[in-house]
mmCIF file of all heavy atoms in Angstrom:
data_model
loop_
_atom_site.group_PDB
_atom_site.id
_atom_site.type_symbol
_atom_site.label_atom_id
_atom_site.label_comp_id
_atom_site.label_asym_id
_atom_site.label_seq_id
_atom_site.Cartn_x
_atom_site.Cartn_y
_atom_site.Cartn_z
ATOM 1 N N LEU A 93 -36.186 21.085 7.209
ATOM 2 C CA LEU A 93 -35.300 20.310 6.339
ATOM 3 C C LEU A 93 -35.764 20.327 4.884
ATOM 4 O O LEU A 93 -35.066 19.843 4.009
ATOM 5 C CB LEU A 93 -35.229 18.855 6.821
ATOM 6 C CG LEU A 93 -34.431 18.605 8.105
ATOM 7 C CD1 LEU A 93 -34.649 17.193 8.586
ATOM 8 C CD2 LEU A 93 -32.959 18.868 7.877
ATOM 9 N N GLY A 94 -36.954 20.852 4.643
ATOM 10 C CA GLY A 94 -37.479 20.898 3.279
ATOM 11 C C GLY A 94 -38.342 19.689 2.962
ATOM 12 O O GLY A 94 -38.409 19.279 1.808
ATOM 13 N N GLY A 95 -38.962 19.090 3.991
ATOM 14 C CA GLY A 95 -39.887 17.975 3.752
ATOM 15 C C GLY A 95 -39.362 16.632 4.223
ATOM 16 O O GLY A 95 -39.827 15.600 3.766
ATOM 17 N N GLY A 96 -38.409 16.632 5.135
ATOM 18 C CA GLY A 96 -37.874 15.376 5.667
ATOM 19 C C GLY A 96 -36.379 15.298 5.433
ATOM 20 O O GLY A 96 -35.782 16.165 4.789
ATOM 21 N N LEU A 97 -35.792 14.245 5.982
ATOM 22 C CA LEU A 97 -34.334 14.096 5.952
ATOM 23 C C LEU A 97 -33.936 13.309 4.701
ATOM 24 O O LEU A 97 -34.440 12.214 4.455
ATOM 25 C CB LEU A 97 -33.916 13.347 7.225
ATOM 26 C CG LEU A 97 -32.460 13.301 7.598
ATOM 27 C CD1 LEU A 97 -31.891 14.697 7.718
ATOM 28 C CD2 LEU A 97 -32.301 12.565 8.920
ATOM 29 N N VAL A 98 -33.037 13.877 3.908
ATOM 30 C CA VAL A 98 -32.610 13.211 2.676
ATOM 31 C C VAL A 98 -31.578 12.140 3.027
ATOM 32 O O VAL A 98 -30.638 12.410 3.775
ATOM 33 C CB VAL A 98 -32.006 14.256 1.707
ATOM 34 C CG1 VAL A 98 -31.390 13.572 0.498
ATOM 35 C CG2 VAL A 98 -33.057 15.251 1.292
ATOM 36 N N PRO A 99 -31.725 10.908 2.512
ATOM 37 C CA PRO A 99 -30.752 9.857 2.805
ATOM 38 C C PRO A 99 -29.358 10.292 2.390
ATOM 39 O O PRO A 99 -29.185 10.921 1.343
ATOM 40 C CB PRO A 99 -31.225 8.679 1.951
ATOM 41 C CG PRO A 99 -32.619 8.967 1.596
ATOM 42 C CD PRO A 99 -32.802 10.439 1.639
ATOM 43 N N GLY A 100 -28.376 9.970 3.217
ATOM 44 C CA GLY A 100 -26.997 10.301 2.878
ATOM 45 C C GLY A 100 -26.634 11.747 3.096
ATOM 46 O O GLY A 100 -25.559 12.179 2.710
ATOM 47 N N SER A 101 -27.535 12.529 3.725
ATOM 48 C CA SER A 101 -27.193 13.940 3.924
ATOM 49 C C SER A 101 -26.504 14.144 5.270
ATOM 50 O O SER A 101 -26.703 13.380 6.211
ATOM 51 C CB SER A 101 -28.440 14.820 3.831
ATOM 52 O OG SER A 101 -29.372 14.464 4.802
ATOM 53 N N LEU A 102 -25.683 15.170 5.326
ATOM 54 C CA LEU A 102 -24.990 15.517 6.563
ATOM 55 C C LEU A 102 -25.569 16.849 7.047
ATOM 56 O O LEU A 102 -25.473 17.857 6.361
ATOM 57 C CB LEU A 102 -23.488 15.648 6.292
ATOM 58 C CG LEU A 102 -22.592 15.838 7.498
ATOM 59 C CD1 LEU A 102 -22.717 14.663 8.458
ATOM 60 C CD2 LEU A 102 -21.142 15.974 7.071
ATOM 61 N N VAL A 103 -26.206 16.803 8.215
ATOM 62 C CA VAL A 103 -26.916 17.973 8.719
ATOM 63 C C VAL A 103 -26.219 18.478 9.982
ATOM 64 O O VAL A 103 -26.038 17.719 10.931
ATOM 65 C CB VAL A 103 -28.389 17.613 9.055
ATOM 66 C CG1 VAL A 103 -29.133 18.838 9.569
ATOM 67 C CG2 VAL A 103 -29.094 17.042 7.841
ATOM 68 N N LEU A 104 -25.844 19.742 9.966
ATOM 69 C CA LEU A 104 -25.176 20.334 11.124
ATOM 70 C C LEU A 104 -26.189 21.149 11.919
ATOM 71 O O LEU A 104 -26.886 21.995 11.363
ATOM 72 C CB LEU A 104 -24.045 21.247 10.628
ATOM 73 C CG LEU A 104 -23.376 22.152 11.648
ATOM 74 C CD1 LEU A 104 -22.613 21.339 12.677
ATOM 75 C CD2 LEU A 104 -22.420 23.123 10.962
ATOM 76 N N ILE A 105 -26.288 20.869 13.222
ATOM 77 C CA ILE A 105 -27.144 21.688 14.082
ATOM 78 C C ILE A 105 -26.257 22.483 15.026
ATOM 79 O O ILE A 105 -25.558 21.913 15.860
ATOM 80 C CB ILE A 105 -28.142 20.815 14.876
ATOM 81 C CG1 ILE A 105 -29.051 20.080 13.898
ATOM 82 C CG2 ILE A 105 -28.961 21.676 15.844
ATOM 83 C CD1 ILE A 105 -30.269 19.471 14.503
ATOM 84 N N GLY A 106 -26.258 23.794 14.852
ATOM 85 C CA GLY A 106 -25.422 24.643 15.683
ATOM 86 C C GLY A 106 -26.261 25.322 16.751
ATOM 87 O O GLY A 106 -27.452 25.554 16.559
ATOM 88 N N GLY A 107 -25.652 25.622 17.867
ATOM 89 C CA GLY A 107 -26.376 26.326 18.915
ATOM 90 C C GLY A 107 -25.505 26.488 20.141
ATOM 91 O O GLY A 107 -24.483 25.812 20.280
ATOM 92 N N GLU A 108 -25.916 27.395 21.015
ATOM 93 C CA GLU A 108 -25.153 27.622 22.239
ATOM 94 C C GLU A 108 -25.253 26.405 23.144
ATOM 95 O O GLU A 108 -26.237 25.682 23.088
ATOM 96 C CB GLU A 108 -25.709 28.845 22.968
ATOM 97 C CG GLU A 108 -25.332 30.130 22.289
ATOM 98 C CD GLU A 108 -26.061 31.329 22.877
ATOM 99 O OE1 GLU A 108 -26.530 31.235 24.020
ATOM 100 O OE2 GLU A 108 -26.170 32.336 22.169
ATOM 101 N N PRO A 109 -24.248 26.195 24.004
ATOM 102 C CA PRO A 109 -24.339 25.079 24.938
ATOM 103 C C PRO A 109 -25.591 25.228 25.823
ATOM 104 O O PRO A 109 -25.909 26.338 26.248
ATOM 105 C CB PRO A 109 -23.068 25.207 25.781
ATOM 106 C CG PRO A 109 -22.142 26.032 24.961
ATOM 107 C CD PRO A 109 -22.991 26.928 24.125
ATOM 108 N N GLY A 110 -26.297 24.148 26.047
ATOM 109 C CA GLY A 110 -27.454 24.164 26.938
ATOM 110 C C GLY A 110 -28.746 24.588 26.275
ATOM 111 O O GLY A 110 -29.791 24.648 26.917
ATOM 112 N N ILE A 111 -28.727 24.847 24.979
ATOM 113 C CA ILE A 111 -29.939 25.333 24.313
ATOM 114 C C ILE A 111 -30.907 24.176 24.035
ATOM 115 O O ILE A 111 -32.119 24.375 23.924
ATOM 116 C CB ILE A 111 -29.571 26.109 23.014
ATOM 117 C CG1 ILE A 111 -30.660 27.094 22.639
ATOM 118 C CG2 ILE A 111 -29.282 25.187 21.852
ATOM 119 C CD1 ILE A 111 -30.686 28.309 23.491
ATOM 120 N N GLY A 112 -30.364 22.952 23.943
ATOM 121 C CA GLY A 112 -31.247 21.787 23.758
ATOM 122 C C GLY A 112 -30.950 20.950 22.529
ATOM 123 O O GLY A 112 -31.795 20.187 22.075
ATOM 124 N N LYS A 113 -29.730 21.050 21.996
ATOM 125 C CA LYS A 113 -29.385 20.270 20.799
ATOM 126 C C LYS A 113 -29.415 18.779 21.083
ATOM 127 O O LYS A 113 -29.997 18.003 20.321
ATOM 128 C CB LYS A 113 -27.981 20.650 20.291
ATOM 129 C CG LYS A 113 -27.819 22.102 19.941
ATOM 130 C CD LYS A 113 -26.415 22.407 19.451
ATOM 131 C CE LYS A 113 -25.342 22.247 20.515
ATOM 132 N NZ LYS A 113 -25.455 23.171 21.643
ATOM 133 N N SER A 114 -28.802 18.375 22.211
ATOM 134 C CA SER A 114 -28.760 16.948 22.529
ATOM 135 C C SER A 114 -30.167 16.428 22.771
ATOM 136 O O SER A 114 -30.517 15.333 22.336
ATOM 137 C CB SER A 114 -27.910 16.711 23.776
ATOM 138 O OG SER A 114 -26.647 17.288 23.610
ATOM 139 N N THR A 115 -30.979 17.232 23.463
ATOM 140 C CA THR A 115 -32.354 16.827 23.742
ATOM 141 C C THR A 115 -33.116 16.619 22.443
ATOM 142 O O THR A 115 -33.784 15.599 22.253
ATOM 143 C CB THR A 115 -33.059 17.915 24.589
ATOM 144 O OG1 THR A 115 -32.216 18.222 25.696
ATOM 145 C CG2 THR A 115 -34.409 17.452 25.075
ATOM 146 N N LEU A 116 -33.005 17.578 21.537
ATOM 147 C CA LEU A 116 -33.715 17.490 20.248
ATOM 148 C C LEU A 116 -33.302 16.225 19.496
ATOM 149 O O LEU A 116 -34.152 15.472 19.007
ATOM 150 C CB LEU A 116 -33.391 18.733 19.399
ATOM 151 C CG LEU A 116 -34.013 18.766 18.011
ATOM 152 C CD1 LEU A 116 -35.518 18.998 18.117
ATOM 153 C CD2 LEU A 116 -33.396 19.849 17.133
ATOM 154 N N LEU A 117 -31.998 15.963 19.446
ATOM 155 C CA LEU A 117 -31.536 14.832 18.638
ATOM 156 C C LEU A 117 -31.834 13.500 19.302
ATOM 157 O O LEU A 117 -32.094 12.504 18.635
ATOM 158 C CB LEU A 117 -30.042 14.991 18.343
ATOM 159 C CG LEU A 117 -29.770 16.131 17.354
ATOM 160 C CD1 LEU A 117 -28.291 16.356 17.158
ATOM 161 C CD2 LEU A 117 -30.432 15.850 16.014
ATOM 162 N N LEU A 118 -31.837 13.495 20.646
ATOM 163 C CA LEU A 118 -32.213 12.253 21.347
ATOM 164 C C LEU A 118 -33.682 11.938 21.062
ATOM 165 O O LEU A 118 -34.051 10.791 20.807
ATOM 166 C CB LEU A 118 -31.971 12.434 22.851
ATOM 167 C CG LEU A 118 -31.830 11.168 23.691
ATOM 168 C CD1 LEU A 118 -30.741 10.278 23.131
ATOM 169 C CD2 LEU A 118 -31.526 11.527 25.142
ATOM 170 N N GLN A 119 -34.517 12.968 21.075
ATOM 171 C CA GLN A 119 -35.938 12.763 20.791
ATOM 172 C C GLN A 119 -36.147 12.316 19.347
ATOM 173 O O GLN A 119 -36.920 11.402 19.086
ATOM 174 C CB GLN A 119 -36.730 14.052 21.075
ATOM 175 C CG GLN A 119 -36.915 14.305 22.560
ATOM 176 C CD GLN A 119 -37.756 15.543 22.821
ATOM 177 O OE1 GLN A 119 -37.227 16.651 22.888
ATOM 178 N NE2 GLN A 119 -39.053 15.372 22.963
ATOM 179 N N ILE A 120 -35.440 12.951 18.426
ATOM 180 C CA ILE A 120 -35.566 12.566 17.015
ATOM 181 C C ILE A 120 -35.125 11.108 16.826
ATOM 182 O O ILE A 120 -35.805 10.323 16.177
ATOM 183 C CB ILE A 120 -34.719 13.503 16.120
ATOM 184 C CG1 ILE A 120 -35.372 14.884 16.049
ATOM 185 C CG2 ILE A 120 -34.549 12.932 14.715
ATOM 186 C CD1 ILE A 120 -34.604 15.901 15.249
ATOM 187 N N SER A 121 -33.992 10.737 17.453
ATOM 188 C CA SER A 121 -33.492 9.363 17.315
ATOM 189 C C SER A 121 -34.517 8.374 17.815
ATOM 190 O O SER A 121 -34.781 7.352 17.188
ATOM 191 C CB SER A 121 -32.210 9.162 18.114
ATOM 192 O OG SER A 121 -31.322 10.180 17.860
ATOM 193 N N ALA A 122 -35.103 8.677 18.987
ATOM 194 C CA ALA A 122 -36.074 7.751 19.570
ATOM 195 C C ALA A 122 -37.288 7.616 18.662
ATOM 196 O O ALA A 122 -37.842 6.531 18.521
ATOM 197 C CB ALA A 122 -36.490 8.237 20.947
ATOM 198 N N MET A 123 -37.700 8.710 18.033
ATOM 199 C CA MET A 123 -38.874 8.646 17.159
ATOM 200 C C MET A 123 -38.587 7.829 15.907
ATOM 201 O O MET A 123 -39.468 7.188 15.376
ATOM 202 C CB MET A 123 -39.300 10.047 16.759
ATOM 203 C CG MET A 123 -39.969 10.796 17.886
ATOM 204 S SD MET A 123 -40.054 12.520 17.433
ATOM 205 C CE MET A 123 -40.984 13.184 18.771
ATOM 206 N N VAL A 124 -37.348 7.880 15.417
ATOM 207 C CA VAL A 124 -37.019 7.083 14.235
ATOM 208 C C VAL A 124 -37.025 5.601 14.588
ATOM 209 O O VAL A 124 -37.508 4.774 13.824
ATOM 210 C CB VAL A 124 -35.658 7.521 13.653
ATOM 211 C CG1 VAL A 124 -35.204 6.567 12.559
ATOM 212 C CG2 VAL A 124 -35.764 8.922 13.091
ATOM 213 N N THR A 125 -36.525 5.247 15.788
ATOM 214 C CA THR A 125 -36.506 3.826 16.158
ATOM 215 C C THR A 125 -37.917 3.297 16.344
ATOM 216 O O THR A 125 -38.159 2.121 16.173
ATOM 217 C CB THR A 125 -35.738 3.573 17.470
ATOM 218 O OG1 THR A 125 -36.297 4.407 18.466
ATOM 219 C CG2 THR A 125 -34.279 3.832 17.310
ATOM 220 N N GLU A 126 -38.851 4.183 16.668
ATOM 221 C CA GLU A 126 -40.228 3.719 16.817
ATOM 222 C C GLU A 126 -40.738 3.091 15.525
ATOM 223 O O GLU A 126 -41.662 2.326 15.514
ATOM 224 C CB GLU A 126 -41.135 4.889 17.204
ATOM 225 C CG GLU A 126 -41.125 5.139 18.700
ATOM 226 C CD GLU A 126 -41.760 6.464 19.058
ATOM 227 O OE1 GLU A 126 -42.510 6.996 18.233
ATOM 228 O OE2 GLU A 126 -41.484 6.950 20.165
#
Side-chain angles (χ1 to χ4, degrees):
L93 287 170
L97 192 56
V98 173
S101 60
L102 187 60
V103 181
L104 170 66
I105 298 195
E108 286 171 21
I111 204 75
K113 301 180 294 296
S114 306
T115 310
L116 178 71
L117 289 175
L118 201 55
Q119 285 183 273
I120 288 178
S121 312
M123 286 166 175
V124 171
T125 54
E126 276 167 19

